Amino acid sequence: MKNSSIEMLQEYEELHEADILIFNTSYWKHRDTDFEKYANNFPAVSPKAAEFIRKNLPNCKAVAIDTMSIENLEEAKRNGYFVHHAFLDHEKYEEPTMLIYEDINPAPLIGKKLLSAFTAPLRIKNHDASMVNIIVEVEE
C-alpha cells in the first residue's frame, strides 16, 4: 500500500464511523525477521490521504500504522513532514488534531472487530512523543 490513496480508503464502508484508522500494510511481518527491510522504503500514508482523513473523517481521533513512520521519510524531508502536520497541526486546520501511532503490530486484530482502544503513554516531561501500549477490546 505505497502512499495510501483516497480511493483505497473510501473502499471501506465503516470509514466515516471509525474513530481510529489502523493501516495494516503487512510490513510488521518483517520487523523481527528482516529489520533492514522493515526500516527502509516502507509503505506510507500519502499527503493527500492524510489531509483527506483530517478534513473528511470527523469521528477519527487517531491513525496507526505498522511501519516505522506514518509517512515516507525521504518525501517528508522535502515537504516539511506534511503528513505528520496534516494530523497534528492545530493552526492550519479547523478540525481537531489526531494522534499518530507508528510501529504497531496489528496481528492480534486481524480478522476481529475492534470494539475499543486506548493507550498508556510514558509520561516524559517537555516532550511531544512517547512510546505507548495500545490496549484493545475485540469481538471474538
Side-chain angles (χ1 to χ4, degrees):
M1 187 191 302
K2 293 256 191 233
N3 292 328
S4 305
S5 70
I6 294 166
E7 294 79 27
M8 291 172 75
L9 289 170
Q10 291 175 323
E11 290 176 13
Y12 296 92
E13 294 174 20
E14 306 90 357
L15 185 68
H16 293 279
E17 298 162 19
D19 53 8
I20 183 170
L21 296 182
I22 301 173
F23 292 93
N24 177 10
T25 69
S26 293
Y27 245 61
W28 59 270
K29 295 175 184 178
H30 303 297
R31 192 177 203 287
D32 293 332
T33 59
D34 187 352
F35 193 78
E36 188 71 29
K37 180 175 182 168
Y38 178 74
N40 295 289
N41 198 29
F42 45 80
V45 175
S46 72
K48 286 183 180 182
E51 200 162 61
F52 170 83
I53 293 166
R54 176 77 180 263
K55 289 182 173 183
N56 296 287
L57 302 178
N59 292 332
C60 191
K61 295 169 187 64
V63 291
I65 195 163
D66 64 341
T67 61
M68 293 289 283
S69 178
I70 197 80
E71 70 184 305
N72 178 301
L73 296 178
E74 289 301 315
E75 194 176 304
K77 291 175 191 174
R78 292 189 300 272
N79 69 18
Y81 293 85
F82 186 95
V83 173
H84 278 84
H85 289 289
F87 293 122
L88 300 172
D89 191 325
H90 64 278
E91 294 176 359
K92 181 178 177 183
Y93 301 92
E94 294 177 19
E95 298 78 14
T97 58
M98 297 179 174
L99 298 172
I100 300 171
Y101 302 111
E102 299 164 318
D103 191 25
I104 69 156
N105 179 0
L109 302 176
I110 295 172
K112 297 177 181 163
K113 181 179 180 182
L114 179 64
L115 298 175
S116 66
F118 67 94
T119 59
L122 294 175
R123 294 182 66 153
I124 304 172
K125 262 187 161 179
N126 302 319
H127 285 79
D128 64 357
S130 171
M131 291 189 299
V132 301
N133 284 319
I134 300 176
I135 297 96
V136 299
E137 177 185 12
V138 295
E139 184 177 274
E140 295 289 332

